[in-house]
Amino acid sequence: MKRIPCVVAGSIAIAALCGCNWLVPFIFVGEHKRTVPAEFNKLEGKRALVLVWAEPATLYDYPHVRIELATYVADKIRAGVKECETVDPADVEDLLQRDLDAAVDPVHTGKHFAADYVVYVELLGFQIRDPATPDLAQGRVSASVAVYDVNADPDEIGRFALTPVETVCPEHSPVLMSARNALTIRRKTYEVFSETVARKFFDHDVDL
C-alpha cells in the first residue's frame, strides 16, 4: 500500500511529460471565478431611487447625462437585486428641473418619492473625448457612490459611503472620433459604469 502514492505521482509525471491534460478538469474546476459579496446588501425587497449629481459644466456639455446614467444604473440594480423597485428616473429628473435643491439633498428627494434608500452617484469627472485631443474618443467617468437610508432615525447611521468608481472605455486606447464612434463609446461607457455601480448591491462572480 505504501507504493500507491509513488505510483500516482509517477502517473502524473508521465502525463505531464506526454502533454496530457486529462487531469486539468479535476485540478482546476471552480478556479476560474470567485464570488464577490455586495458592498451594500439591503436593497432587496425595498424601493430605491438613483440620484445622479453632475456639475453645471458637465451638464452644459452633456445635458442629458444625469437622467441617462440614472436610467442605466436603475435598470442594472433592478435586474440584479431581487424584488427591488426603482423610482422612474424620468420622474426624478422632472423634480430636479423644478427643485434645484433636490439634486444635493438625497434624503429630501427620497422622501418625496417614498423611497427606502437613495443611491447617490456624484460625478467627479465625465467626458467622451479629451478637449486636448478632440479627434479621439474615449469615455472616462469617475464618481463617488453613497447610499442614504431615508428612514434612518437621527441617532442612526444614515449614510453609507461605497468604493468610488472609475470607468475608461475603450480601456487601453482611444479611437478616432466620428458620430458613430461617439455614440457607440458613450453607450458602452454607460453600460460598464452602471454595471460597476449596480454590482455593489448584489453578490456576483468575477473571472480570475
Side-chain angles (χ1 to χ4, degrees):
M1 295 294 293
K2 293 182 179 180
R3 297 182 58 192
I4 292 178
C6 295
V7 173
V8 173
S11 300
I12 294 175
I14 293 171
L17 290 173
C18 294
C20 297
N21 62 357
W22 58 273
L23 288 174
V24 171
F26 299 97
I27 296 175
F28 295 104
V29 165
E31 294 296 324
H32 299 295
K33 292 183 180 293
R34 68 182 177 90
T35 299
V36 178
E39 283 191 57
F40 188 90
N41 61 1
K42 299 180 180 180
L43 295 189
E44 183 174 341
K46 300 298 182 178
R47 179 173 167 85
L49 182 152
V50 178
L51 180 61
V52 176
W53 177 90
E55 62 181 2
T58 300
L59 290 174
Y60 180 82
D61 291 331
Y62 306 97
H64 305 297
V65 67
R66 198 164 53 188
I67 185 173
E68 289 171 344
L69 282 179
T71 299
Y72 270 78
V73 173
D75 287 346
K76 296 290 186 181
I77 290 176
R78 194 168 56 252
V81 181
K82 294 180 180 178
E83 300 179 359
C84 178
E85 177 189 0
T86 57
V87 178
D88 188 341
D91 293 338
V92 177
E93 182 63 23
D94 181 64
L95 175 66
L96 298 182
Q97 295 289 345
R98 294 183 284 105
D99 182 357
L100 297 179
D101 291 335
V104 293
D105 193 341
V107 174
H108 167 75
T109 304
K111 288 181 177 179
H112 179 87
F113 290 101
D116 298 301
Y117 293 99
V118 173
V119 177
Y120 190 58
V121 179
E122 184 177 355
L123 292 182
L124 305 176
F126 182 92
Q127 66 178 41
I128 299 301
R129 60 179 178 179
D130 188 339
T133 54
D135 57 331
L136 298 177
Q138 186 176 40
R140 291 180 177 273
V141 185
S142 59
S144 64
V145 182
V147 180
Y148 287 80
D149 183 348
V150 177
N151 301 312
D153 292 329
D155 58 342
E156 294 179 331
I157 297 176
R159 181 182 184 276
F160 304 86
L162 307 184
T163 306
V165 175
E166 294 275 350
T167 297
V168 179
C169 184
E171 184 175 359
H172 300 294
S173 61
V175 298
L176 286 175
M177 186 69 176
S178 69
R180 182 175 181 179
N181 281 347
L183 182 59
T184 300
I185 289 174
R186 186 167 178 173
R187 186 175 299 148
K188 183 61 178 178
T189 301
Y190 284 178
E191 285 280 351
V192 175
F193 176 82
S194 61
E195 183 68 28
T196 305
V197 173
R199 284 186 171 192
K200 296 179 180 297
F201 303 103
F202 56 87
D203 297 349
H204 57 279
D205 292 336
V206 296
D207 294 328
L208 293 177

